[in-house]
Amino acid sequence: MLWVWLVLLYGIIKGMREIVKKKSMEKNTVLEVLFVYTLLSFLIVAPGAPKAGGVGYGTLLVIAFKSFVIFVAWLLSFRAIKKMPISLYGLLDLSRVIFSILLGVIFLGEVMSFWQIVGLALVCTGLFLCRVQKGEGGETPEKADTKMVCFALMSCFLNGVSGTMDKVLMKTVTSTQLQFWYMLFLVLFYVLYLLFSKTKIKLGSALKNYWIWILSILFVIGDKALFIANQSGDSKVTIMTLLKQAGCIVTILAGKFLYKEKNITYKLFCAAVIITGMVVAVL
């Protein structure tokens, strides 16, 4: 059951990453953070290049597609994180549970047990409750721009697609191979985007932003843990997706203590319902 602990580690790191993303964008633009963050992450995994060879062209195309999916997902999620309360984003991000589980069932042929279905129902209930919150003390709950909410949800769907692809790819490549090529393609996509959009970035300023460095380190550690977990023959996308969402507690608490956001008690209640669903599904 080592894969369970690795996925839980990924989930906690993921929650920490959302906070660091928001912090990093207080000093730099979305694209500055994205490009430097991706570049630094690649440089961290670059020493593994000698062990990344031996991947077929067909597999490289699949990895390139995965990188493109994440490229788009990050463009959407970073913009959403910058504009909306971090605690609200953390709850919306839990919708990827639904997308990933459905993709795992449809494309990987995974069969959900009775308790996994009950767990998924609880997750859906928690997500629904977070969208109909009344606010604490009768105050109006935070409002998020509809466009940003759509960005967050689309990012969740694309992350679900990526997670499903991980499970397939890890049957033919190692975690080192996947992480190296995935990050290389990701850097290339952002370089091309900057060139074709003619977007100017302040590279020096971004490199001095220590939040971006922290973000890159957390990203590499978290993804390494997740890729190793995917190598386990016992791991399932449906259960892994539920475990990944443990990080939502991190983002909700950050909203309270770092950003003084409202409705935290209600959000914690919604998160408790969702996490109960996760526990039911795993046990």
Side-chain angles (χ1 to χ4, degrees), residues 20-95:
V20 178
K21 287 175 187 176
K22 197 169 183 69
K23 282 289 185 182
S24 65
M25 287 185 285
E26 291 176 359
K27 297 182 178 181
N28 292 96
T29 66
V30 169
L31 283 173
E32 286 171 348
V33 173
L34 270 174
F35 175 68
V36 175
Y37 156 51
T38 308
L39 179 61
L40 290 176
S41 299
F42 172 69
L43 292 176
I44 293 173
V45 303
K51 298 180 180 179
V55 181
Y57 291 116
T59 302
L60 284 177
L61 285 175
V62 177
I63 296 175
F65 179 70
K66 168 189 163 59
S67 296
F68 180 75
V69 167
I70 290 299
F71 159 72
V72 177
W74 283 3
L75 283 174
L76 297 173
S77 65
F78 271 65
R79 286 186 168 89
I81 290 170
K82 186 170 184 176
K83 296 291 185 180
M84 68 171 55
I86 189 68
S87 56
L88 178 58
Y89 178 85
L91 280 174
L92 288 175
D93 190 57
L94 292 172
S95 63

Side-chain angles (χ1 to χ4, degrees), residues 5 7 11-12 15 29 34 44 52 62 68 72 86-87 102 109 118 148 156 177 179 184-186 205 243 255 261:
W5 295 106
V7 178
I12 294 171
T29 66
L34 270 174
I44 293 173
V62 177
F68 180 75
V72 177
I86 189 68
S87 56
L102 291 178
V118 172
M148 293 300 108
C156 290
Q177 289 173 322
Q179 196 163 35
L184 175 60
F185 285 127
L186 203 50
S205 172
L243 291 172
E261 294 172 3

Side-chain angles (χ1 to χ4, degrees), residues 129-177:
L129 289 173
C130 87
R131 298 300 297 144
V132 297
Q133 59 179 301
K134 301 300 183 182
E136 295 172 9
E139 77 270 19
T140 302
E142 300 127 322
K143 298 294 182 182
D145 185 282
T146 301
K147 182 180 178 180
M148 293 300 108
V149 171
C150 290
F151 278 6
L153 293 176
M154 180 57 70
S155 173
C156 290
F157 171 73
L158 293 174
N159 274 289
V161 172
S162 174
T164 303
M165 293 182 70
D166 286 344
K167 187 62 178 176
V168 175
L169 285 166
M170 290 309 299
K171 293 179 180 179
T172 56
V173 298
T174 66
S175 60
T176 299
Q177 289 173 322

Side-chain angles (χ1 to χ4, degrees), residues 185-196:
F185 285 127
L186 203 50
V187 170
L188 292 176
F189 282 130
Y190 281 112
V191 169
L192 290 173
Y193 182 84
L194 291 173
L195 290 175
F196 283 103

